[in-house]
């Protein structure tokens, strides 16, 4: 019997497994899929997850990376696991640009600093020196939040590119400000690295929690599954999305990463 299956997959880290399991359980309870699994890997998903993926029943598998934006892990490393699936793989876009995530960022921020002309919202993203995806995601939210709230300014900042997070205090011109880390789960970066760069001990800036297991993140995941279903029903001869092209590329090199089919 075939079925629709969700696979939430991410690299092991603090709270990752628990957070993904929470979202997978919610998706399953909502009836969005027949089954939902949260899986993590340490270093090599092709080797570590191969047998787990082969054990899934035939059908349509929605693979959602535990990420807010694409990176080398999601574009190059994770797709190497796709030949292990017996079913049809629908590779989902990272959920970072979902409107539900915008709503959650606003909720996180306004719980600490009211959205008025005396407040600034600082968005903190990972950034990348070689890929545009994280910057595009942060700027997407900055634009939407500026249109939907009354903050005096919405400042995008990054750990790995300019404008650098450690310089944002020089850009803030309001009496009050709040920083929201655009990260899915709490980790050493959100708990220590970002607070140190923001010099939170100086005061004057509130700091929100990462997105975590909030139900709006679950909404974003479910929304991406719905989008992939719509794309699958479209009449087309070309890949429907960037992620669809990654699936086709992975299938065309049907090895397990160690030279075996």
């Amino acid at each position: 019997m075939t079925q629709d299956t969700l696979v939430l997959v991410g690299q092991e880290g603090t709270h990752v497994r628990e957070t993904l399991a929470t979202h997978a359980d919610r998706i399953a309870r909502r009836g969005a899929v027949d089954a939902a699994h949260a899986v993590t890997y340490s270093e090599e998903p092709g080797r570590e997850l191969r047998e787990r993926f082969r054990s899934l029943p035939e059908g349509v598998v929605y693979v959602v990376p535990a990420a807010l934006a694409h990176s080398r892990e999601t574009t190059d490393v994770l797709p190497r696991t796709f030949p292990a699936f017996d079913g049809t793989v629908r590779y989902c876009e990272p959920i970072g640009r979902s409107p539900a995530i915008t709503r959650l960022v606003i909720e996180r921020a306004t719980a600490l600093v009211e959205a008025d002309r005396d407040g600034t919202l600082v968005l903190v993203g990972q950034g990348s020196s070689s890929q545009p995806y994280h910057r595009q995601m942060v700027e997407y939210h900055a634009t939407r939040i500026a249109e939907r709230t009354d903050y005096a300014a919405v400042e995008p900042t990054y750990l790995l590119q300019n404008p650098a997070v450690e310089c944002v205090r020089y850009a803030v011109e309001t009496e009050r400000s709040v920083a929201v880390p655009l990260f899915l789960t709490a980790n050493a970066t959100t708990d220590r690295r970002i607070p140190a760069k923001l010099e939170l001990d100086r005061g004057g800036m509130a700091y929100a929690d990462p997105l975590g297991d909030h139900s709006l993140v679950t909404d974003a995941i479910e929304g991406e599954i719905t989008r992939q279903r719509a794309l699958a029903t479209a009449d087309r001869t070309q890949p429907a999305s960037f992620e669809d092209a990654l699936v086709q590329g992975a299938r065309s090199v049907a090895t397990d990463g160690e030279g075996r089919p």
Side-chain angles (χ1 to χ4, degrees):
M1 179 179 179
T2 62
Q3 64 177 32
D4 283 1
T5 301
L6 166 65
V7 175
L8 277 171
V9 57
Q11 193 164 14
E12 290 180 1
T14 307
H15 306 304
V16 172
R17 188 185 300 272
E18 296 85 353
T19 299
L20 297 190
T22 297
H23 294 303
D25 289 345
R26 278 203 198 108
I27 292 290
R29 290 198 304 270
R30 292 178 181 185
V33 291
D34 298 308
H37 304 273
V39 299
T40 59
Y41 62 92
S42 177
E43 295 179 354
E44 300 178 31
R47 175 178 57 81
E48 298 172 42
L49 303 179
R50 186 186 312 128
E51 294 307 317
R52 176 73 182 274
F53 289 169
R54 284 176 176 165
S55 70
L56 295 176
E58 292 186 10
V60 178
V61 180
Y62 295 91
V63 180
V64 178
L68 296 182
H70 273 307
S71 65
R72 192 186 71 83
E73 287 288 317
T74 63
T75 61
D76 300 341
V77 179
L78 188 56
R80 297 174 194 167
T81 66
F82 295 162
F85 290 106
D86 289 331
T88 300
V89 176
R90 303 288 184 206
Y91 190 31
C92 297
E93 182 180 353
I95 61 170
R97 294 208 292 178
S98 167
I101 300 300
T102 306
R103 294 198 298 273
L104 178 51
V105 172
I106 293 172
E107 180 180 310
R108 286 275 196 259
T110 54
L112 298 172
V113 172
E114 187 177 352
D116 57 31
R117 303 312 294 177
D118 292 323
T120 296
L121 171 56
V122 176
L123 300 177
V124 184
Q126 179 74 17
S128 170
S129 60
S130 60
Q131 294 182 316
Y133 308 115
H134 280 268
R135 188 182 195 102
Q136 290 170 350
M137 182 267 295
V138 175
E139 291 179 347
Y140 167 85
H141 291 300
T143 298
R144 286 175 58 85
I145 292 169
E147 293 171 348
R148 288 161 173 75
T149 68
D150 293 324
Y151 282 111
V154 181
E155 301 285 350
T157 66
Y158 308 93
L159 289 170
L160 299 180
Q161 62 187 124
N162 292 324
V165 62
E166 56 263 36
C167 299
V168 71
R169 279 189 175 269
Y170 301 103
V172 173
E173 298 179 351
T174 57
E175 293 182 1
R176 298 175 294 110
S177 60
V178 56
V180 178
L182 287 175
F183 288 76
L184 185 57
T185 57
N187 51 46
T189 296
T190 61
D191 292 348
R192 295 190 294 275
R193 186 179 174 194
I194 294 174
K197 289 181 177 292
L198 289 172
E199 298 181 319
L200 293 181
D201 55 355
R202 289 175 50 187
M205 180 178 289
Y207 185 61
D209 291 331
L211 307 183
D213 59 6
H214 196 284
S215 61
L216 283 170
V217 177
T218 313
D219 292 347
I221 296 168
E222 186 175 2
E224 183 58 19
I225 294 171
T226 301
R227 188 179 77 92
Q228 288 296 327
R229 285 197 175 112
L231 290 174
T233 61
D235 216 3
R236 66 179 190 274
T237 57
Q238 299 296 322
S241 65
F242 175 63
E243 292 74 26
D244 195 24
L246 291 174
V247 172
Q248 293 186 20
R251 289 296 193 189
S252 69
V253 185
T255 67
D256 61 14
E258 297 177 0
R260 297 194 299 268

